[in-house]
Amino acid sequence: MKISIFGMGYVGAVSAGCLARDGHEVVGVDPNPTKVDLINQGKTPIIEAEIGEMIASAVQGGTLSATTSVQEAVSGSEVSLICVGTPSQLNGNLDLSFVRRVCEEIGAALKEKDGFHVVVARSTMLPGSMRNIVIPALEQASGKVAGVDFGVCNNPEFLREGTAVYDYYNPPKTVIGETDERAGDVLVQLYANMDAPLVRTSVETAEMVKYTDNNWHALKVAFANEIGNLCKALGLDGHKVMEIFCQDTKLNLSSYYMRPGFAFGGSCLPKDVRALIYKARSMDVETPVLNAILPSNERQVQRAIDMVTSKGGRKVGVLGFAFKAGTDDLRESPMVELIERLIGKGYDLRVYDRNVSLAALTGANRDYILNHIPHISQLMVDSVDQVLAFAETIVVGNGAAEFRDVVTQARPDQQVVDLVRVSTATSGNGYDGICW
């Protein structure tokens, strides 16, 4: 395939070297003549393991060259990769001036070109940047329509400095955000030999995936450092603690807790977060990440309350109020907090949870239900049908199997607020998911 790559910085140079080694005809484009000259001399413009040898070999073999001419690069290629920088502004927002300028230049070149050309953004950009900046700039400069006259994709990179060549050939995943299937098909060919999961999705989702990855990595570093600092104050080896922590790939290093939804609760997590924060404070160890966990969790409870109150109906039915499905445990259940606050706001409620109903008769929670939350126990009903018959707004509070058909069972005049994703529906037409 004939490929032009815009921006001979870190991502662009690595992509150019790897694609050229794979046998593609690659031309690098950069306004800096020094970088262009270096590549044409078989030298690397960046410092990165293996890339110098790859560029030298590719230039010698005739699969890699560089130019300052956008017109030349676009007219001689089928796919253009945008790999220019997106630095921070003083307020934290991105400076997309380089992206906009390159898109205008590529668009002007597309105006003079026949045939279907695919423009692929690899630069890291916030969700909405493709729709609001990249595509309009390309269309305005070319006079053509994205998805019809040319294709546009977002293809985030997952390269780490120092191991970029290894990461290129061993990616954790390949994500293609496509505006149209034809453009996505072209990009799929580029990664046909990659041994990694291939995900085709919307450009907005692809944009967000990159930011989710990087913010998660940043959070992991900050979390590990706070645990390490506290360990040191306690006379413990933070590395040893985290080595043991990382051996758990069923819960700690897994997708188990990575599904957006309602707040956490139960007898362990809230209590243990509070205890560790107290211990850190008593030893004068600052833990801003740990300190933010409970306020963030409380904000998710408030978000759910805001969703319910925004629906307008004063009659609210709650399905599931143990802190998770399959248990009768009400200790620090965020659903109990939600119910109590709605009662305090004057809402008329009916609540149902099969496990809690049984616990009220025989279980360990009997005393708690009857003596600590009697105002809630008086609102309990015996079936899903009773809740559906009563409510104007239905709140799904846990993922019990008997709640899975609630969305289809609800009447047209009822609103459903889903806190656990019991349905694959998207928000709209009476259905609203808390994070989807």
Side-chain angles (χ1 to χ4, degrees):
M1 194 176 295
K2 296 181 178 181
I3 303 165
S4 53
I5 300 180
F6 289 79
M8 287 292 99
Y10 185 79
V11 173
V14 171
S15 299
C18 292
L19 287 167
R21 187 169 81 170
D22 292 343
H24 299 286
E25 294 182 37
V26 180
V27 56
V29 188
D30 200 285
N32 186 337
T34 301
K35 289 185 178 182
V36 170
D37 290 343
L38 282 171
I39 292 173
N40 287 330
Q41 293 168 20
K43 299 177 182 179
T44 175
I46 65 168
I47 302 299
E48 176 66 32
E50 300 183 64
I51 199 65
E53 296 86 349
M54 293 172 65
I55 288 177
S57 177
V59 171
Q60 185 176 7
T63 56
L64 175 62
S65 62
T67 181
T68 57
S69 172
V70 174
Q71 184 69 48
E72 175 187 335
V74 172
S75 63
S77 61
E78 307 158 79
V79 177
S80 294
L81 305 184
I82 298 174
C83 300
V84 299
T86 55
S88 289
Q89 296 177 338
L90 292 177
N91 63 0
N93 193 17
L94 291 183
D95 179 357
L96 295 181
S97 58
F98 300 116
V99 171
R100 186 190 300 275
R101 186 179 307 133
V102 164
C103 288
E104 291 170 347
E105 293 172 342
I106 293 174
L110 289 176
K111 188 174 186 178
E112 307 300 325
K113 182 179 179 180
D114 296 326
F116 191 76
H117 191 93
V118 179
V119 181
V120 181
R122 301 211 79 194
S123 301
T124 301
M125 295 181 289
L126 288 166
S129 300
M130 294 290 293
R131 298 283 183 190
N132 297 328
I133 294 176
V134 171
I135 293 175
L138 288 168
E139 289 184 332
Q140 186 173 0
S142 67
K144 297 181 178 181
V145 179
V148 178
D149 304 309
F150 63 92
V152 180
C153 291
N154 183 273
N155 177 217
E157 47 81 19
F158 304 101
L159 307 178
R160 296 168 295 173
E161 294 188 34
T163 59
V165 173
Y166 175 85
D167 291 343
Y168 181 91
Y169 287 111
N170 299 275
K173 56 187 175 289
T174 299
V175 179
I176 298 173
E178 56 192 38
T179 56
D180 64 281
E181 187 174 352
R182 183 181 178 186
D185 288 343
V186 172
L187 200 51
V188 166
Q189 297 176 38
L190 205 61
Y191 300 113
N193 297 321
M194 290 293 186
D195 183 18
L198 176 66
V199 180
R200 298 176 70 168
T201 185
S202 69
V203 292
E204 291 84 0
T205 299
E207 288 170 317
M208 189 61 188
V209 163
K210 174 65 174 179
Y211 276 93
T212 304
D213 280 28
N214 282 356
N215 279 265
W216 174 234
H217 299 328
L219 179 59
K220 287 184 289 186
V221 172
F223 173 81
N225 286 343
E226 289 192 6
I227 294 297
N229 293 341
L230 184 53
C231 284
K232 185 174 179 64
L234 291 166
L236 303 173
D237 185 340
H239 273 248
K240 178 56 67 177
V241 169
M242 292 306 293
E243 284 171 8
I244 298 171
F245 169 88
C246 290
Q247 288 181 31
D248 180 356
T249 57
K250 292 184 178 180
L251 297 178
N252 291 347
L253 303 181
S254 74
S255 61
Y256 188 81
Y257 292 108
M258 303 302 288
R259 297 177 179 88
F262 194 39
F264 62 77
S267 60
C268 296
L269 298 188
K271 172 180 70 72
D272 292 346
V273 172
R274 279 194 294 267
L276 197 61
I277 290 171
Y278 173 83
K279 188 65 177 179
R281 190 183 302 119
S282 71
M283 304 189 74
D284 293 327
V285 176
E286 295 187 4
T287 54
V289 170
L290 296 178
N291 292 349
I293 293 173
L294 291 177
S296 176
N297 200 54
E298 292 163 4
R299 183 68 195 109
Q300 199 69 348
V301 175
Q302 183 60 53
R303 180 180 176 85
I305 293 169
D306 292 343
M307 289 177 66
V308 174
T309 58
S310 72
K311 303 306 175 187
R314 303 300 296 180
K315 294 182 178 181
V316 177
V318 176
L319 297 175
F321 65 104
F323 86 97
K324 67 177 180 179
T327 179
D328 63 356
D329 196 348
L330 296 175
R331 288 173 292 181
E332 300 210 45
S333 169
M335 286 304 300
V336 171
E337 174 71 13
L338 180 145
I339 291 168
E340 290 186 321
R341 289 172 66 178
L342 288 175
I343 292 172
K345 290 177 177 290
Y347 284 80
D348 189 6
L349 276 76
R350 298 293 183 273
V351 299
Y352 169 75
D353 190 310
R354 182 191 301 273
N355 291 318
V356 176
S357 296
L358 293 173
L361 297 174
T362 61
N365 277 331
R366 177 182 171 82
D367 176 70
Y368 182 82
I369 295 169
L370 297 181
N371 297 315
H372 293 269
I373 54 170
H375 50 300
I376 294 180
S377 66
Q378 295 169 9
L379 304 175
M380 292 170 59
V381 296
D382 297 325
S383 69
V384 173
D385 289 341
Q386 286 178 270
V387 171
L388 293 178
F390 166 82
E392 296 169 311
T393 301
I394 303 161
V395 181
V396 184
N398 67 42
E402 61 185 317
F403 304 151
R404 291 174 185 167
D405 296 326
V406 165
V407 176
T408 57
Q409 292 173 339
R411 302 188 307 267
D413 62 316
Q414 290 177 313
Q415 300 286 320
V416 177
V417 175
D418 186 357
L419 304 181
V420 292
R421 195 147 211 178
V422 293
S423 172
T424 57
T426 55
S427 292
N429 299 319
Y431 172 84
D432 200 1
I434 190 169
C435 289
W436 52 90

